[in-house]
Amino acid sequence: MKEIDKWVGSRLTGVPTRSKPPGPILLAFVTVAVIVWVCVDRNWWPSPFGSYAWLDPLLAAIVCVLVFLVTGLIWAIRTLYVLGRDQRWSWWVVPAPAVVLAGLAFLALMPSTSLLDVRSEFDAIAVDLHDNPGVWRERFEIGPFDIRSAHSSPSGEVYFTDNASIFNTTIGWVYSPDAEPSGLTTVTHLDGPWYEYTSVWR
């Protein structure tokens, strides 16, 4: 009702109403989206192989992108109206981009968890599969990592496929105690018998 009265009053007096700056609701959506994005990026999101399988990380990332696009557009429009048309300042312009920048700074400056941080768990499974050729393990977690499958090859390597592999690109880790694995697109030595790999199928 107050908004209608303001609009009517502005029509009668010829004085334009002041535009609304980005508010707390927009800030809440942006904050939640940034938190979810950080959790998905750092593998802190619930595993799709656990009891919260419905919280698929890929779906969460897509929702975050949509939220960023919509809230970014709303923020830009409201900010332009406040600063451009009304020619006034509002501190509500600052919080949303500040939260986004804080999230980006965290991802850029804080190291993410690597295989070496949970190596003992990888070692136990790798040795077991290495000693039992032909055995496969599928859809399980090691620390923050979601492993789609793990198996030993005829040449003695044990391959762990990350669930983040998509389309024709497979990423993961190789336990290869005898020699550096071959036949892969890229191989990066981590430590001891462990390598990180990317394989692109064409």
Side-chain angles (χ1 to χ4, degrees), residues 16 21 64 70 73-74 78 82 95 99 147 157 180 183 185 192:
C64 282
V70 173
L73 180 61
I74 294 172
R78 289 196 170 188
V82 170
V99 169
I147 310 299
E157 299 99 348
E180 179 175 316
T185 306

Side-chain angles (χ1 to χ4, degrees), residues 17-161:
T17 57
R18 300 210 305 177
S19 303
K20 279 187 175 182
I25 296 177
L26 183 139
L27 176 61
F29 274 98
V30 171
T31 302
V32 171
V34 168
I35 292 172
V36 171
W37 186 267
V38 169
C39 289
V40 170
D41 184 83
R42 291 304 167 89
N43 293 317
W44 298 337
W45 193 252
S47 171
F49 306 145
S51 55
Y52 295 96
W54 57 277
L55 285 171
D56 186 85
L58 178 59
L59 179 60
I62 292 173
V63 171
C64 282
V65 171
L66 293 176
V67 171
F68 285 136
L69 290 175
V70 173
T71 55
L73 180 61
I74 294 172
W75 178 88
I77 291 172
R78 289 196 170 188
T79 299
L80 286 174
Y81 267 90
V82 170
L83 300 182
R85 194 190 72 174
D86 295 355
Q87 295 186 346
R88 65 187 177 90
W89 172 253
S90 172
W91 283 105
W92 278 111
V93 171
V94 177
V99 169
V100 173
L101 289 175
L104 292 174
F106 177 86
L107 293 177
L109 300 176
M110 297 298 290
S112 58
T113 304
S114 73
L115 175 146
L116 298 179
D117 295 317
V118 288
R119 177 172 173 173
S120 60
E121 297 178 59
F122 272 93
D123 280 336
I125 296 174
V127 171
D128 180 63
L129 293 175
H130 183 269
D131 295 341
N132 295 277
V135 175
W136 283 66
R137 288 192 60 175
E138 296 184 335
R139 299 174 64 84
F140 62 97
E141 304 172 60
I142 300 179
F145 301 105
D146 301 319
I147 310 299
R148 185 177 298 173
S149 66
H151 68 280
S152 60
S153 68
S155 53
E157 299 99 348
V158 178
Y159 288 84
F160 291 77
T161 303

